[in-house]
Amino acid sequence: MRRRMSEQRVTGTKPEMELRRLLHAAGLRYRVEYPVLRESSTPDDIAFTKTKLAVMVDGCFWHGCPEHAVPPKHNAEWWAEKLATNAVRDRETNAALEAGGWAVLRLWEHEADQMVLRVSEALESRAPDS
């Protein structure tokens, strides 16, 4: 199990890459895997440093999407614990980022058609008044 887990892609996933392409095409510039929290082992997928917006693209399976997550039948107890741990880590990461003055936008991988709009709205709400 450990070997299989270590082979799972953590960054550069298909939904994340699609969002990065769309953001770039829309003229939005960002940092990738920017270590906002120096003590964290999980860098943000996308960071807009000037507005302090951290964007995470969460996989439906790994982060427990209420619409699409299906609990595994094999080794169910282990998976339930693993996925619960992921949810706790997500909440802790959000809290730490927010404590550091960052806004956190979590997007589900299936929201591809809405991602750029949601990021643009979040950036606009974080922009300093002119």
Side-chain angles (χ1 to χ4, degrees), residues 12-13 24 36 46 48-49 68 70 92 96 102 128:
T13 62
H24 194 271
V36 173
I46 297 169
F48 293 91
T49 55
H68 300 106
V70 177
E92 289 172 350
W102 285 74

Side-chain angles (χ1 to χ4, degrees), residues 67-86:
E67 291 179 46
H68 300 106
V70 177
K73 291 182 171 85
H74 298 287
N75 207 0
E77 187 176 314
W78 184 89
W79 277 109
E81 184 178 328
K82 167 67 178 148
L83 298 175
T85 301
N86 289 354

